[in-house]
Amino acid sequence: MTASNSAAGPVPAAPAGPPPVPPAAPAGRRAGRAGRAMVRRLRVHGWLRLETPLHVGGVGDDPSVDLALAVDGLSRLYVPGTSLAGALRAFAGRSIADRLVLDDIWGNVPQNTTRANGSRQSSGNGSSGSDDGSTSRIVVHDGLVTTGTDLGSPFPPSRVEARTGIGIDRVLGTVAEGFLYGRAVLPRGAYLRLGIDLESPYRERDADPATAMLGTLLLALAGGRVRLGAARTRGLGSVVLAGEPEIVEQRFDSMDGLLGALGLLPATPTASGSGPPAVTSAAAAAPAGAPAALTPTDLGGRDPDADLLRVTIVWRPTSPVMVRSAVDGLSIDALPLVSGIGCDEVALVLPGSSIKGALRSHAERIERTARARDAAHPLDVPAGPQRSARFREQLDDLAAVNALFGSAGTAVGGDGYGDGSEDSSGDAGGDGRGTRATRGVGALGADDCYSEQAIPADLWRALNGAHVTGLSKPSDSGPTRSWDKARAQVPPKVRERLRELGMDQADHVAIDRWTGGAADKRLYSTLEPHHVTWQDLLLTVDLRRLNRFDTAPAGSGDPAGSGNQAGTAGESAGSGTKRGNDAGSGGQGNGGGLARPALALLLLVLRDLRAGRLRLGHGVNRGHGDIIVESVRISGFPGLSDAERDFDDLLREPAVAAYTRSWQDYLDRDHLDRDRLDQERPDKDRADGRPL
């Protein structure tokens, strides 16, 4: 054979003699062939239904939103497999306490990080370098978003919704500077394709811990315990497994198994002796005698302990309750925010971000009152980035509130509560960067709350000026552009239908302070929901997450007397009648725990909510947002059984009294710390900002 020439010169001939011996495989690796052994493969296919809107970010060209949705190469809305895998791995860490086992299943890339003092540290899993890493044995496929359980019906981009978020300054009560953003979301009711492959080197199903983990994950998805995407504690990302997933086991340790995996086995005779070829069935993919279909229970999955405190609030409005849409209507200026609940219906919605914001604002008022600590005034600094930073200081100022509701973090050297060796997600063993305090996402989450009345989508389009047969009439002289709004009128049939749904137009006017008459061009209208009923408010508290804000070592005393102590993995004590004291492992011995004061603060907020001291939604200073709470039911409180309890019954429990003492101890620590600071700087202002 003649050696060919190229631009780089002639190809050198192969050296004479035997081929070189490949280097020996590192310790712990399989030598002899590339790749890893795979004896079995479990393939799972199913559908996830969105119970609340979902946002998984991507690159978009829509100027109306800051945070666009992810699309694939065909411009179809989808959820990348990396996003699904990240959420599933995070939840799998709850059922697998051994980090090495978790890394073996999901893969691991050891990295050496730099501590704040410049020294190097390993990733903490016993590996010394990146060469010791491994790929994941779990393959999570991209999930196409569809309108139903059919891959041929991709979700139309025209049904994507936009949510606008703002930050409220704690002193001025207006929008904080630099905190306005728009987010595109997939509406409730859309479907997401789920595809998971598990590659296993074990011959027996029970020998692989990943098999049971996969079954537990599927049960968690069926129970709606795994959330996806962004803003998961603010109402987004709740999904549930729709129907039974298809689970197929393929084996590669026999010829029949290999042919079955390729769909090349002959037809399996039916009861009558004939039948179609079982090309894609479980019977063809599994060896003789294996079950044709598997369930999550067959995989060894168990119902996961969610470690969630759940709060259900039954309420009704006594005045119009709504969150104003960011887009004005054509014939009515201020419209309530709606969200899709199906192909042809929408409903009024109180976003979880709005509910959580109202609860946080009241919690801050309680803690600031108890600690006599005012929020930093934004006008003390120049406009621009410094004023935005001042707003973040307002949010980061209260430790118990941050543990419960979350925080973006502050510079190292803050108030010290909850700071330690955790990373930005709250896990122990941080990366040592030392740039921000250890806060991150909070433990409390609030779901979106929808109205009971469903609004036909055609009716809502007609309200916004669209021609709908039977509801509105086309008119050549009618307004068709935004600058013609002054001449727009709600069609009589549309207004009548809205009244039947409990909503009506209300006109408002601003009064001129000199003449006492109507101010010029200050007439505006609002669509007010006077007689709309709402679903229950649903709150959850992640006790594992809350427990990470405690600075006491695991196994410290339990003042509640429940007899349970949290281990390093934060798991509850078995499956008995009482929950593990996840939120109480901090105890009172070291005086640095935040979990108990945070839960005590939540009880104070719920008490005031039930007493009518909180308002929800838009226009709370103008007669809107008044509610009556009929009942508050709580389940999963630490140290008590999982049975649902009324709020008054819960307060009478002896275990709850310990949380009152923890709250008082938390406040006493703050007063002692400020007194100490005042003594250290007698020539300056007090620690709370008041002059001496």
Side-chain angles (χ1 to χ4, degrees):
M1 180 176 181
T2 306
S4 62
N5 295 330
S6 64
V11 177
V21 179
R29 291 193 179 183
R30 183 182 181 91
R33 64 182 182 188
R36 60 169 179 246
M38 182 172 64
V39 178
R40 295 183 304 107
R41 180 168 64 186
L42 287 170
R43 312 204 79 170
V44 179
H45 292 95
W47 291 93
L48 298 175
R49 185 178 66 250
L50 303 189
E51 297 296 296
T52 62
L54 171 69
H55 174 85
V56 175
V59 178
D61 54 0
D62 187 355
S64 62
V65 294
D66 301 298
L67 306 173
L69 293 171
V71 294
D72 63 9
L74 298 177
S75 297
R76 301 176 301 179
L77 295 165
Y78 86 121
V79 175
T82 52
S83 298
L84 292 171
L88 295 177
R89 174 170 183 157
F91 192 90
R94 294 175 175 268
S95 58
I96 300 179
D98 192 337
R99 177 67 180 272
L100 294 179
V101 175
L102 189 68
D103 288 345
D104 174 70
I105 298 173
W106 289 95
N108 175 49
V109 180
Q111 295 179 355
N112 292 326
T113 57
T114 305
R115 295 187 177 94
N117 58 7
S119 61
R120 306 286 291 181
Q121 65 175 359
S122 64
S123 58
N125 60 358
S127 302
S128 59
S130 59
D131 291 340
D132 296 324
S134 61
T135 58
S136 173
R137 294 200 285 121
I138 299 282
V139 179
V140 183
H141 300 275
D142 292 345
L144 181 67
V145 181
T146 61
T147 57
T149 57
D150 180 14
L151 289 174
S153 58
F155 195 84
S158 59
R159 289 179 54 190
V160 171
E161 300 175 359
R163 294 282 181 92
T164 301
I166 60 174
I168 301 298
D169 188 272
R170 283 1 188 207
V171 177
L172 303 178
T174 57
V175 178
E177 185 167 347
F179 283 85
L180 170 66
Y181 62 92
R183 185 196 306 272
V185 297
L186 297 167
R188 170 186 175 187
Y191 285 82
L192 176 66
R193 182 60 170 171
L194 177 67
I196 303 175
D197 293 344
L198 169 61
E199 302 172 356
S200 176
Y202 299 90
R203 294 182 178 274
E204 300 298 329
R205 196 182 301 155
D206 298 338
D208 189 357
T211 304
M213 180 214 66
L214 180 60
T216 300
L217 283 177
L218 294 177
L219 291 176
L221 288 171
R225 297 180 179 178
V226 181
R227 286 184 177 258
L228 307 177
R232 290 170 292 178
T233 63
R234 288 175 283 169
L236 304 186
S238 177
V239 298
V240 65
L241 195 59
E244 290 292 332
E246 177 188 0
I247 306 176
V248 174
E249 184 179 45
Q250 299 174 339
R251 302 193 66 96
F252 306 102
D253 54 353
S254 66
M255 182 60 69
D256 288 342
L258 289 171
L259 295 177
L262 297 173
L264 300 178
L265 282 180
T268 302
T270 61
S272 59
S274 63
V279 176
T280 60
S281 66
L294 297 175
T295 65
T297 306
D298 295 331
L299 302 182
R302 57 182 179 84
D303 192 21
D305 183 5
D307 291 321
L308 292 179
L309 184 152
R310 300 180 182 273
V311 181
T312 304
I313 302 170
V314 181
W315 66 288
R316 58 183 176 86
T318 58
S319 65
V321 175
M322 56 178 274
V323 170
R324 180 174 176 174
S325 173
V327 180
D328 289 347
L330 181 64
S331 53
I332 299 179
D333 297 310
L335 297 177
L337 182 66
V338 297
S339 181
I341 57 175
C343 294
D344 300 318
E345 290 181 330
V346 297
L348 304 187
V349 60
L350 297 178
S353 57
S354 178
I355 298 171
K356 186 176 178 181
L359 298 177
R360 175 172 187 146
S361 178
H362 193 76
E364 290 180 1
R365 185 178 299 113
I366 292 175
E367 185 169 352
R368 290 191 184 279
T369 302
R371 297 173 63 176
R373 175 178 294 186
D374 294 333
H377 204 292
L379 300 183
D380 292 341
V381 296
Q386 293 187 33
R387 195 164 292 177
S388 298
R390 177 56 58 91
F391 174 66
R392 287 191 291 269
E393 291 177 12
Q394 296 176 357
L395 299 182
D396 295 338
D397 195 31
L398 306 172
V401 171
N402 290 339
L404 191 60
F405 292 94
S407 169
T410 57
V412 171
D415 57 19
Y417 291 112
D419 298 343
S421 60
E422 299 175 353
D423 60 18
S424 59
S425 64
D427 297 327
D431 58 7
R433 295 190 184 105
T435 57
R436 302 192 71 82
T438 56
R439 296 286 165 78
V441 66
L444 184 138
D447 285 347
D448 286 2
C449 182
Y450 292 85
S451 63
E452 296 284 358
Q453 291 92 334
I455 305 172
D458 288 342
L459 177 63
W460 200 254
R461 286 194 293 268
L463 175 64
N464 286 278
H467 169 60
V468 178
T469 304
L471 291 176
S472 60
K473 297 180 180 180
S475 175
D476 296 335
S477 60
T480 58
R481 297 292 186 269
S482 60
W483 52 82
D484 293 331
K485 285 182 57 177
R487 298 186 291 113
Q489 298 291 331
V490 179
K493 291 185 178 180
V494 173
R495 188 162 186 173
E496 181 181 354
R497 291 282 303 277
L498 290 174
R499 286 173 177 170
E500 295 174 356
L501 295 172
M503 295 173 284
D504 200 0
Q505 176 180 343
D507 296 317
H508 302 270
V509 65
I511 301 299
D512 187 275
R513 269 42 177 181
W514 177 254
T515 64
D520 186 31
K521 297 182 180 180
R522 290 296 183 268
L523 175 67
Y524 64 97
S525 58
T526 304
L527 182 62
E528 297 181 350
H530 288 277
H531 304 287
V532 172
T533 56
W534 294 84
Q535 297 176 350
D536 298 342
L537 296 177
L538 300 178
L539 309 177
T540 57
V541 178
D542 188 342
L543 297 178
R544 289 173 181 261
R545 173 66 188 168
L546 191 61
N547 188 49
R548 293 175 180 177
F549 288 94
D550 275 340
T551 57
S556 59
D558 181 9
S562 64
N564 296 325
Q565 297 175 352
T568 56
E571 297 182 351
S572 62
S575 57
T577 58
K578 287 193 176 183
R579 299 174 64 89
N581 191 17
D582 294 334
S585 65
Q588 304 299 321
N590 69 337
L594 281 176
R596 286 179 175 273
L599 279 183
L601 179 60
L602 175 62
L603 295 178
L604 293 175
V605 172
L606 294 177
R607 178 204 63 183
D608 290 351
L609 178 66
R610 192 182 59 165
R613 300 190 182 108
L614 273 78
R615 292 177 174 178
L616 300 178
H618 160 75
V620 295
N621 294 329
R622 290 175 286 174
H624 289 192
D626 293 301
I627 66 172
I628 290 179
V629 174
E630 298 179 350
S631 68
V632 178
R633 302 190 301 272
I634 300 178
S635 63
F637 199 86
L640 302 177
S641 65
D642 285 336
E644 195 173 58
R645 287 175 168 80
D646 183 73
F647 187 72
D648 290 331
D649 296 337
L650 177 68
L651 295 182
R652 286 191 287 266
E653 291 287 344
V656 179
Y659 290 82
T660 303
R661 295 192 298 270
S662 299
W663 173 251
Q664 188 60 53
D665 292 342
Y666 166 73
L667 298 178
D668 292 342
R669 292 197 304 270
D670 177 67
H671 292 311
L672 291 175
D673 290 341
R674 285 193 294 172
D675 290 342
R676 175 179 54 81
L677 291 176
D678 291 339
Q679 294 175 1
E680 293 176 355
R681 50 177 186 180
D683 56 334
K684 298 182 180 180
D685 291 344
R686 297 182 185 272
D688 57 7
R690 297 175 296 165
L692 289 170

